[in-house]
Amino acid sequence: MSVMSLSVIGLGKLGSPFAAVMAAKGFNVIGIDKNKKFVTAINNGIAPVPEPQLQEYIRKGKSRLSATMAMDEAVLNSDISFIIVPTPSGKDGTFNNAYVLDAIKEMGPAIAKKKSRHIIVVTSTVMPGSSDTVIRAVIEKHTGKIVGDTVGYCYNPEFIALGSVVADMLDPDFILIGESDARSGKIIGDIYKKTCGKDTVLHRMNCVNAELTKISINTFVTAKISYANMLTDICERLPGADIDVVTAAVGADSRIGKKYLKGGVAYGGPCFPRDNIALSMMARKLGARVDLSFATDRINDYQTERLVKRIEKMFPSGAHIGIAGMSYKPNTPVIERSAGVALAAALIREGYKVFITDPLAAKPAKEALKGKVTIISDIKMLSAKVDMLLVMTPLNEYRVLSARSLGKRKNPLVIIDCWRIFDQGSFGKKATVLALGRGDSFVHIKSKKG
Ligand SMILES: NC(=O)c1ccc[n+]([C@@H]2O[C@H](COP(=O)([O-])OP(=O)(O)OC[C@H]3O[C@@H](n4cnc5c(N)ncnc54)[C@H](O)[C@@H]3O)[C@@H](O)[C@H]2O)c1
């Protein structure tokens, strides 16, 4: 069998790792992007976006990987096109398919010209029901072919997390394929058997089931995070209770599992919050009840409120508060819906003076906060400037803090350790470590508010 050729439309945070992994695994890959910089980067063998292992996989696939801005050229020279373009959330919280539909319109004339059967794959996250309605209609109108017959179609979303996109692609729990016809679904499944191993678990189904599965998985995970955060709040109010002890045991039950069950701060990032809102909005339109999704959101929003209340109990407005960790998770510059930014914004509103540190996300955070925070280069310098320090991401760099690094202080530093990375023992009397989710940390706090 000749080597299959794939075109990848959209070389962003998900598309460029996808193109690189497929090329490294032996497929001929042509990437397409409207952003010339991304196209040039791929053609020069350089990662267009920062992502661990991406550079390595671009190098591995270099002889089979190229990029262009010409949609015709890419489609005519490939058998399958993966569309990985943005689907931003609209005002009502549902995903907007405009970029996906535009990409299909742009590739339509080339597919119409082709004698061989082309397969269009949408990898972008779309609202349940999109494939069989608007997407099918646009494909048929712009290619002149029939979906499931003369043109193949699959909905094939990825389950990846920024920061581990390549690793997640190489070792998925399973591959989700919504298919217009069995022939197309099998071809896509075989691609993953080649990329991820012959034992890769495939879940093949119709498109609406796949669309709902994709959004359900993320929203179930958010419910699990909110559950752990709800338990964290309870533990803090119970002398002797410790969230880590409880979740380690709860997660040992195979019906539950340990992943995403660590109490901490609110979830954020480009996917979780919007997926949960999109599911709620879709269900509402359908007349279905989604109390769990609404509760998940409310619990998530409450996490910032909860921290602000803790701070207000101990320090009056005007106090200097330090926040270590502005990205939505460690080791990324992405600040979208991050707990650190939400906390900073709330504290600024309440009149506190906010100082921040984060090796990658401090600048974008300061921009998002309209310059109303002061960036400090590292956690040691930050601790010298503030009355209270909150650790919002469990970054390894933050673990360097100790009694010695705190130097001379008038009053002990109060640390709210949201991920429990510190021991009180290493700070002696120089700091009071309040670990989120540990009853013994918080139950004795007396109000110092002026
Ligand atoms: N980033 C994630 O963590 C993640 C995880 C799961 C799913 N997704 C989904 O994947 C999709 C893509 O997300 P992303 O984070 O990679 O987006 P991104 O913004 O990083 O990249 C999208 C790229 O598509 C390009 N593009 C848009 N329209 C185009 C067109 N017509 N022709 C050629 N290029 C075009 C843009 O220039 C951009 O480079 C979204 O639907 C998102 O919801 C993303």
Side-chain angles (χ1 to χ4, degrees):
M1 198 177 93
S2 63
V3 176
M4 209 175 262
S5 294
L6 317 178
S7 44
V8 177
I9 297 127
L11 295 170
K13 297 185 284 297
L14 183 53
S16 55
F18 183 85
V21 166
M22 288 299 169
K25 291 291 177 176
F27 295 99
N28 294 320
V29 179
I30 313 170
I32 304 123
D33 205 293
K34 289 196 183 297
N35 182 338
K36 195 174 175 193
K37 278 190 190 156
F38 286 8
V39 169
T40 308
I42 290 284
N43 285 331
N44 289 336
I46 295 165
V49 294
E51 183 60 39
Q53 288 186 279
L54 176 56
Q55 189 57 57
E56 178 193 338
Y57 273 76
I58 288 178
R59 190 180 44 74
K60 281 185 182 164
K62 199 168 190 310
S63 61
R64 285 177 295 274
L65 178 61
S66 64
T68 175
M69 293 180 78
M71 186 72 91
D72 267 36
E73 174 198 334
V75 171
L76 291 173
N77 290 304
S78 61
D79 308 293
I80 306 172
S81 298
F82 288 83
I83 300 177
I84 318 184
V85 299
T87 45
S89 298
K91 274 194 185 131
D92 66 351
T94 60
F95 309 140
N96 185 327
N97 292 327
Y99 291 103
V100 172
L101 299 179
D102 283 350
I104 295 170
K105 287 175 197 167
E106 287 161 24
M107 64 172 61
I111 296 176
K113 263 188 249 167
K114 283 184 77 171
K115 292 213 166 60
S116 57
R117 190 177 188 266
H118 200 81
I119 302 178
I120 299 174
V121 181
V122 169
T123 300
S124 301
T125 310
V126 299
M127 292 306 293
S130 302
S131 293
D132 292 334
T133 57
V134 279
I135 293 178
R136 172 186 281 264
V138 170
I139 294 176
E140 295 190 342
K141 182 173 173 199
H142 291 267
T143 64
K145 296 188 177 181
I146 309 293
V147 169
D149 183 14
T150 41
V151 60
Y153 174 80
C154 290
Y155 177 62
N156 170 225
E158 292 281 339
F159 298 95
I160 51 88
L162 294 180
S164 58
V165 178
V166 172
D168 295 344
M169 276 179 185
L170 295 170
D171 187 22
D173 284 347
F174 73 101
I175 297 295
L176 179 62
I177 302 171
E179 56 197 44
S180 63
D181 59 284
R183 189 172 146 203
S184 302
K186 176 163 185 334
I187 292 171
I188 303 306
D190 287 346
I191 289 177
Y192 286 99
K193 296 240 171 202
K194 184 168 168 183
T195 323
C196 313
K198 64 180 175 26
D199 296 327
T200 302
V201 177
L202 305 178
H203 279 269
R204 290 173 50 192
M205 55 191 74
N206 69 23
C207 291
V208 70
N209 282 326
E211 289 161 338
L212 186 58
T213 302
K214 160 68 182 168
I215 196 167
S216 304
I217 288 175
N218 276 7
T219 54
F220 191 92
V221 173
T222 57
K224 209 172 165 188
I225 296 170
S226 277
Y227 192 89
N229 284 339
M230 181 184 79
L231 282 183
T232 305
D233 191 17
I234 295 171
C235 285
E236 261 160 50
R237 295 161 199 274
L238 273 178
D242 183 334
I243 185 67
D244 290 329
V245 175
V246 175
T247 53
V250 170
D253 186 315
S254 63
R255 291 171 300 177
I256 297 170
K258 288 187 169 58
K259 288 185 184 168
Y260 290 95
L261 198 65
K262 190 171 171 68
V265 302
Y267 59 78
C271 290
F272 281 162
R274 82 183 194 114
D275 285 2
N276 206 50
I277 293 166
L279 180 84
S280 311
M281 290 305 131
M282 178 195 67
R284 204 178 233 184
K285 282 183 186 166
L286 293 170
R289 278 187 69 155
V290 271
D291 302 10
L292 191 56
S293 292
F294 287 123
T296 298
D297 271 341
R298 276 202 304 275
I299 294 170
N300 200 51
D301 291 342
Y302 170 62
Q303 299 317 305
T304 302
E305 218 179 296
R306 201 161 84 75
L307 285 174
V308 173
K309 278 187 188 151
R310 293 267 181 233
I311 296 163
E312 284 177 336
K313 208 171 169 189
M314 290 180 269
F315 292 97
S317 173
H320 289 194
I321 309 291
I323 304 178
M326 300 305 287
S327 53
Y328 80 100
K329 64 176 187 179
N331 298 314
T332 167
V334 179
I335 53 151
E336 217 172 319
R337 301 286 306 265
S338 88
V341 172
L343 177 67
L347 291 175
I348 293 164
R349 271 197 306 274
E350 297 303 322
Y352 290 92
K353 182 126 184 54
V354 180
F355 298 80
I356 63 169
T357 193
D358 190 305
L360 298 173
K363 270 193 188 156
K366 184 169 179 171
E367 272 169 38
L369 293 160
K370 301 193 170 69
K372 290 178 184 166
V373 292
T374 307
I375 297 178
I376 307 293
S377 59
D378 61 56
I379 197 164
K380 288 186 187 171
M381 308 271 275
L382 179 64
S383 61
K385 291 225 173 284
V386 296
D387 304 303
M388 174 186 254
L389 171 69
L390 289 103
V391 181
M392 299 296 282
T393 56
L395 204 64
N396 270 337
E397 279 102 311
Y398 301 154
R399 295 175 197 266
V400 296
L401 211 61
S402 64
R404 191 196 280 182
S405 64
L406 286 182
K408 278 195 183 134
R409 299 185 58 91
K410 220 164 101 197
N411 296 312
L413 176 68
V414 179
I415 303 174
I416 295 196
D417 180 7
C418 298
W419 296 100
R420 299 164 298 282
I421 65 171
F422 295 130
D423 276 328
Q424 178 64 60
S426 43
F427 291 96
K429 287 188 176 145
K430 292 255 182 85
T432 306
V433 179
L434 302 173
L436 222 62
R438 289 202 187 129
D440 291 343
S441 273
F442 285 94
V443 286
H444 311 295
I445 298 279
K446 289 191 184 64
S447 179
K448 288 183 191 168
K449 197 174 174 181

